Amino acid sequence: MNVLAIGCHPDDLEIACGGTLRKYVEQGADVFMCHVANGNMGHAEILPEPLAILRSAESENAGNVIGAKQVFNLDVGDLLVDRFDNHIVDAVADVIRYVKPDVIITHNDKDYMQDHVETNRLAFNGSFVSSVKHKTTQYDVYEEFVPIFYMDTLAGVDFIPTHYVNISDQIDIKLKALACHESQIKWMMEHDNIDFLDMVKTCSRYRGYQCGVAYAEGYRPCTVYPRMTTKHLLP
Ligand SMILES: [Zn+2]
Protein backbone atom coordinates (compact mmCIF):
# COMPACT_ATOMS: atom_id res chain seq x y z
CA MET A 1 0.00 0.00 0.00
CA ASN A 2 1.29 3.46 -0.90
CA VAL A 3 0.33 6.39 1.29
CA LEU A 4 0.91 10.00 0.28
CA ALA A 5 0.50 12.80 2.79
CA ILE A 6 0.55 16.32 1.35
CA GLY A 7 1.00 19.09 3.89
CA CYS A 8 1.66 22.77 3.50
CA HIS A 9 4.58 23.59 5.81
CA PRO A 10 7.41 21.25 6.78
CA ASP A 11 5.84 20.44 10.20
CA ASP A 12 2.11 20.23 9.37
CA LEU A 13 2.01 16.50 8.70
CA GLU A 14 3.80 15.67 11.94
CA ILE A 15 1.26 17.81 13.82
CA ALA A 16 -1.92 16.38 12.34
CA CYS A 17 -1.17 12.89 11.02
CA GLY A 18 2.30 11.88 12.25
CA GLY A 19 0.93 9.06 14.40
CA THR A 20 -1.17 7.71 11.54
CA LEU A 21 1.78 7.81 9.14
CA ARG A 22 3.92 5.92 11.64
CA LYS A 23 1.15 3.36 12.09
CA TYR A 24 0.99 2.85 8.32
CA VAL A 25 4.76 2.24 8.32
CA GLU A 26 4.44 -0.29 11.15
CA GLN A 27 1.74 -2.09 9.15
CA GLY A 28 4.07 -2.37 6.15
CA ALA A 29 2.83 0.49 3.96
CA ASP A 30 5.17 2.71 1.98
CA VAL A 31 4.66 6.23 3.29
CA PHE A 32 5.60 9.34 1.31
CA MET A 33 5.48 12.82 2.79
CA CYS A 34 5.30 16.02 0.78
CA HIS A 35 5.32 19.63 1.88
CA VAL A 36 4.33 22.25 -0.66
CA ALA A 37 5.75 25.32 1.10
CA ASN A 38 9.32 25.55 2.31
CA GLY A 39 8.44 27.35 5.54
CA ASN A 40 10.79 30.23 4.78
CA MET A 41 8.68 32.81 6.64
CA GLY A 42 8.24 30.76 9.80
CA HIS A 43 10.64 32.72 11.99
CA ALA A 44 11.07 36.36 12.90
CA GLU A 45 14.86 36.28 13.31
CA ILE A 46 16.24 33.64 10.95
CA LEU A 47 16.12 35.02 7.41
CA PRO A 48 14.01 33.27 4.74
CA GLU A 49 16.83 31.70 2.72
CA PRO A 50 18.72 29.98 5.56
CA LEU A 51 15.41 29.13 7.25
CA ALA A 52 14.17 27.24 4.17
CA ILE A 53 17.40 25.19 4.18
CA LEU A 54 17.13 24.54 7.92
CA ARG A 55 13.49 23.52 7.72
CA SER A 56 14.13 21.17 4.82
CA ALA A 57 16.72 19.38 6.96
CA GLU A 58 14.30 19.30 9.92
CA SER A 59 11.58 17.72 7.77
CA GLU A 60 14.03 15.10 6.46
CA ASN A 61 14.92 14.21 10.05
CA ALA A 62 11.24 13.98 10.99
CA GLY A 63 10.53 11.80 7.95
CA ASN A 64 13.32 9.46 9.06
CA VAL A 65 11.83 9.20 12.56
CA ILE A 66 8.44 8.32 11.08
CA GLY A 67 10.05 5.87 8.64
CA ALA A 68 8.85 7.57 5.47
CA LYS A 69 10.29 6.31 2.18
CA GLN A 70 10.77 9.84 0.90
CA VAL A 71 10.06 13.44 1.81
CA PHE A 72 9.21 15.72 -1.12
CA ASN A 73 9.82 19.45 -0.77
CA LEU A 74 8.06 21.44 -3.51
CA ASP A 75 9.92 24.52 -2.27
CA VAL A 76 7.18 27.10 -2.76
CA GLY A 77 7.75 30.20 -0.67
CA ASP A 78 5.42 30.79 2.28
CA LEU A 79 2.37 32.89 1.38
CA LEU A 80 2.82 31.96 -2.30
CA VAL A 81 0.96 28.65 -2.25
CA ASP A 82 -1.60 29.07 -5.00
CA ARG A 83 -4.13 26.58 -6.38
CA PHE A 84 -4.16 28.43 -9.71
CA ASP A 85 -0.40 28.32 -10.24
CA ASN A 86 0.01 25.68 -12.94
CA HIS A 87 3.64 24.99 -12.03
CA ILE A 88 2.62 24.07 -8.49
CA VAL A 89 -0.37 22.03 -9.68
CA ASP A 90 1.89 20.08 -12.05
CA ALA A 91 4.48 19.56 -9.31
CA VAL A 92 1.80 18.08 -7.03
CA ALA A 93 0.48 15.96 -9.91
CA ASP A 94 3.98 14.66 -10.54
CA VAL A 95 4.45 13.62 -6.92
CA ILE A 96 1.14 11.72 -7.21
CA ARG A 97 2.15 10.15 -10.53
CA TYR A 98 5.49 9.11 -9.03
CA VAL A 99 4.11 7.71 -5.75
CA LYS A 100 0.93 6.11 -7.18
CA PRO A 101 -0.85 6.39 -3.83
CA ASP A 102 -3.76 4.23 -2.67
CA VAL A 103 -4.78 7.04 -0.35
CA ILE A 104 -3.93 10.72 0.03
CA ILE A 105 -4.03 12.68 3.29
CA THR A 106 -4.06 16.46 3.22
CA HIS A 107 -5.33 19.56 5.01
CA ASN A 108 -8.96 20.24 5.74
CA ASP A 109 -10.70 22.59 3.32
CA LYS A 110 -11.05 25.11 6.12
CA ASP A 111 -8.10 25.96 8.37
CA TYR A 112 -6.42 28.87 10.10
CA MET A 113 -4.33 30.11 7.17
CA GLN A 114 -4.71 30.44 3.44
CA ASP A 115 -1.63 28.39 2.51
CA HIS A 116 -3.20 25.38 4.25
CA VAL A 117 -6.46 25.83 2.35
CA GLU A 118 -4.58 26.27 -0.93
CA THR A 119 -2.70 23.03 -0.22
CA ASN A 120 -6.02 21.24 0.28
CA ARG A 121 -7.12 22.40 -3.19
CA LEU A 122 -3.73 21.62 -4.73
CA ALA A 123 -3.86 18.04 -3.47
CA PHE A 124 -7.37 17.70 -4.87
CA ASN A 125 -6.62 19.34 -8.22
CA GLY A 126 -3.19 17.73 -8.51
CA SER A 127 -4.79 14.34 -8.04
CA PHE A 128 -7.27 15.06 -10.82
CA VAL A 129 -4.55 16.35 -13.14
CA SER A 130 -2.40 13.27 -12.45
CA SER A 131 -5.19 11.10 -13.86
CA VAL A 132 -5.60 12.99 -17.13
CA LYS A 133 -3.87 10.99 -19.84
CA HIS A 134 -3.03 13.78 -22.25
CA LYS A 135 -1.82 16.18 -19.60
CA THR A 136 1.95 16.06 -19.96
CA THR A 137 4.14 16.42 -16.90
CA GLN A 138 7.41 14.76 -15.91
CA TYR A 139 5.86 11.38 -15.09
CA ASP A 140 3.30 9.15 -16.77
CA VAL A 141 -0.42 9.29 -16.08
CA TYR A 142 -1.78 7.61 -12.93
CA GLU A 143 -5.31 6.73 -13.87
CA GLU A 144 -6.83 6.60 -10.40
CA PHE A 145 -9.24 8.78 -8.51
CA VAL A 146 -7.52 8.35 -5.20
CA PRO A 147 -9.60 8.56 -2.01
CA ILE A 148 -8.58 11.61 0.02
CA PHE A 149 -8.81 12.12 3.76
CA TYR A 150 -8.67 15.55 5.35
CA MET A 151 -6.61 15.72 8.53
CA ASP A 152 -7.36 17.74 11.63
CA THR A 153 -7.11 21.53 11.73
CA LEU A 154 -4.58 23.24 13.95
CA ALA A 155 -5.75 22.74 17.56
CA GLY A 156 -8.82 20.91 16.18
CA VAL A 157 -10.80 24.12 15.73
CA ASP A 158 -14.10 23.65 13.85
CA PHE A 159 -13.25 20.09 12.80
CA ILE A 160 -15.53 17.20 13.70
CA PRO A 161 -13.87 13.92 12.71
CA THR A 162 -15.90 11.11 11.17
CA HIS A 163 -12.95 8.70 11.30
CA TYR A 164 -10.40 8.13 14.04
CA VAL A 165 -7.04 6.38 14.05
CA ASN A 166 -5.84 4.99 17.36
CA ILE A 167 -2.26 6.25 17.73
CA SER A 168 -1.76 5.30 21.40
CA ASP A 169 1.28 3.16 20.45
CA GLN A 170 2.61 5.83 18.09
CA ILE A 171 2.23 9.01 20.17
CA ASP A 172 5.84 8.95 21.40
CA ILE A 173 7.23 8.66 17.86
CA LYS A 174 4.80 11.33 16.65
CA LEU A 175 6.15 13.75 19.26
CA LYS A 176 9.74 12.71 18.53
CA ALA A 177 9.16 13.50 14.83
CA LEU A 178 7.57 16.83 15.71
CA ALA A 179 10.51 17.66 17.97
CA CYS A 180 12.77 17.49 14.90
CA HIS A 181 11.23 20.84 13.90
CA GLU A 182 13.42 22.59 16.42
CA SER A 183 13.28 26.01 14.74
CA GLN A 184 9.50 26.10 15.18
CA ILE A 185 9.25 24.61 18.65
CA LYS A 186 11.92 26.84 20.14
CA TRP A 187 10.53 29.90 18.41
CA MET A 188 6.97 29.33 19.58
CA MET A 189 8.09 28.69 23.13
CA GLU A 190 10.33 31.75 23.35
CA HIS A 191 8.15 34.25 21.54
CA ASP A 192 4.57 33.05 21.82
CA ASN A 193 4.89 31.11 25.07
CA ILE A 194 3.29 28.11 23.36
CA ASP A 195 4.56 24.64 24.26
CA PHE A 196 3.91 23.15 20.85
CA LEU A 197 4.72 19.57 21.81
CA ASP A 198 2.27 19.81 24.70
CA MET A 199 -0.37 21.36 22.45
CA VAL A 200 -0.12 18.59 19.86
CA LYS A 201 -0.03 15.88 22.54
CA THR A 202 -3.10 17.39 24.21
CA CYS A 203 -5.01 17.54 20.92
CA SER A 204 -4.20 13.88 20.26
CA ARG A 205 -5.38 13.05 23.79
CA TYR A 206 -8.59 15.01 23.20
CA ARG A 207 -9.28 13.08 19.98
CA GLY A 208 -8.50 9.92 21.95
CA TYR A 209 -11.18 10.76 24.52
CA GLN A 210 -13.70 11.12 21.70
CA CYS A 211 -13.20 7.54 20.52
CA GLY A 212 -12.29 5.75 23.74
CA VAL A 213 -8.54 5.33 23.37
CA ALA A 214 -5.55 7.09 24.90
CA TYR A 215 -4.43 9.04 21.80
CA ALA A 216 -6.00 9.41 18.37
CA GLU A 217 -5.97 11.45 15.18
CA GLY A 218 -9.19 12.49 13.47
CA TYR A 219 -10.12 12.60 9.78
CA ARG A 220 -12.90 13.44 7.38
CA PRO A 221 -13.16 11.88 3.92
CA CYS A 222 -13.36 13.98 0.76
CA THR A 223 -16.84 13.03 -0.38
CA VAL A 224 -17.05 13.81 -4.08
CA TYR A 225 -17.49 11.64 -7.12
CA PRO A 226 -15.73 9.28 -7.71
CA ARG A 227 -13.48 9.19 -4.67
CA MET A 228 -15.78 7.08 -2.55
CA THR A 229 -14.53 3.61 -1.74
CA THR A 230 -15.56 0.36 -0.08
CA LYS A 231 -12.01 -0.14 1.14
CA HIS A 232 -10.92 0.64 4.68
CA LEU A 233 -7.88 2.78 3.99
CA LEU A 234 -6.96 4.28 7.36
CA PRO A 235 -4.76 2.12 9.62
ZN1 LIG B 1 1.30 25.04 8.42
Side-chain angles (χ1 to χ4, degrees):
M1 182 181 191
N2 289 345
V3 177
L4 175 61
I6 302 174
C8 181
H9 304 106
D11 55 353
D12 288 324
L13 295 175
E14 289 79 350
I15 293 165
C17 68
T20 301
L21 296 183
R22 176 61 191 178
K23 194 168 184 175
Y24 273 126
V25 169
E26 290 175 11
Q27 292 181 352
D30 288 337
V31 168
F32 297 83
M33 299 166 72
C34 172
H35 52 97
V36 176
N38 58 21
N40 66 345
M41 298 281 171
H43 208 284
E45 282 171 4
I46 304 173
L47 293 173
E49 212 170 299
L51 183 62
I53 294 165
L54 176 63
R55 295 197 68 183
S56 179
E58 289 173 345
S59 68
E60 286 288 341
N61 292 341
N64 285 337
V65 169
I66 285 170
K69 281 254 166 200
Q70 202 168 330
V71 177
F72 301 93
N73 173 9
L74 300 190
D75 206 18
V76 177
D78 282 4
L79 308 177
L80 297 174
V81 179
D82 179 0
R83 73 184 75 179
F84 299 114
D85 184 324
N86 287 333
H87 296 292
I88 307 175
V89 174
D90 287 0
V92 172
D94 260 334
V95 170
I96 293 167
R97 285 177 165 188
Y98 177 83
V99 169
K100 298 181 170 50
D102 298 287
V103 61
I104 293 172
I105 294 173
T106 191
H107 287 280
N108 190 41
D109 51 7
K110 184 183 171 198
D111 204 347
Y112 84 107
M113 70 171 306
Q114 188 61 18
D115 278 356
H116 283 204
V117 177
E118 293 298 306
T119 298
N120 163 285
R121 290 293 89 191
L122 280 163
F124 184 84
N125 294 341
S127 176
F128 195 94
V129 167
S130 72
S131 71
V132 176
K133 194 167 182 185
H134 296 298
K135 171 65 182 171
T136 309
T137 60
Q138 190 181 345
Y139 296 105
D140 290 339
V141 64
Y142 178 52
E143 289 182 64
E144 293 288 333
F145 287 102
V146 185
I148 300 173
F149 282 94
Y150 298 153
M151 59 192 187
D152 217 327
T153 57
L154 193 62
V157 174
D158 202 13
F159 187 87
I160 308 289
T162 55
H163 294 61
Y164 291 88
V165 174
N166 180 357
I167 59 156
S168 304
D169 292 338
Q170 290 78 28
I171 185 67
D172 290 340
I173 287 196
K174 169 177 172 145
L175 295 174
K176 195 177 162 194
L178 183 60
C180 292
H181 296 279
E182 213 177 299
S183 66
Q184 301 304 290
I185 289 170
K186 229 172 138 238
W187 175 251
M188 288 177 75
M189 182 65 102
E190 285 171 6
H191 294 267
D192 301 315
N193 209 21
I194 294 171
D195 183 339
F196 207 51
L197 289 166
D198 179 67
M199 173 182 160
V200 170
K201 186 177 183 181
T202 302
C203 290
S204 298
R205 181 79 182 107
Y206 177 62
R207 293 302 184 207
Y209 272 120
Q210 294 174 351
C211 59
V213 301
Y215 295 94
E217 287 168 343
Y219 296 91
R220 294 183 67 84
C222 169
T223 52
V224 300
Y225 171 87
R227 295 185 190 269
M228 319 302 268
T229 180
T230 56
K231 292 177 191 160
H232 185 82
L233 291 166
L234 289 170

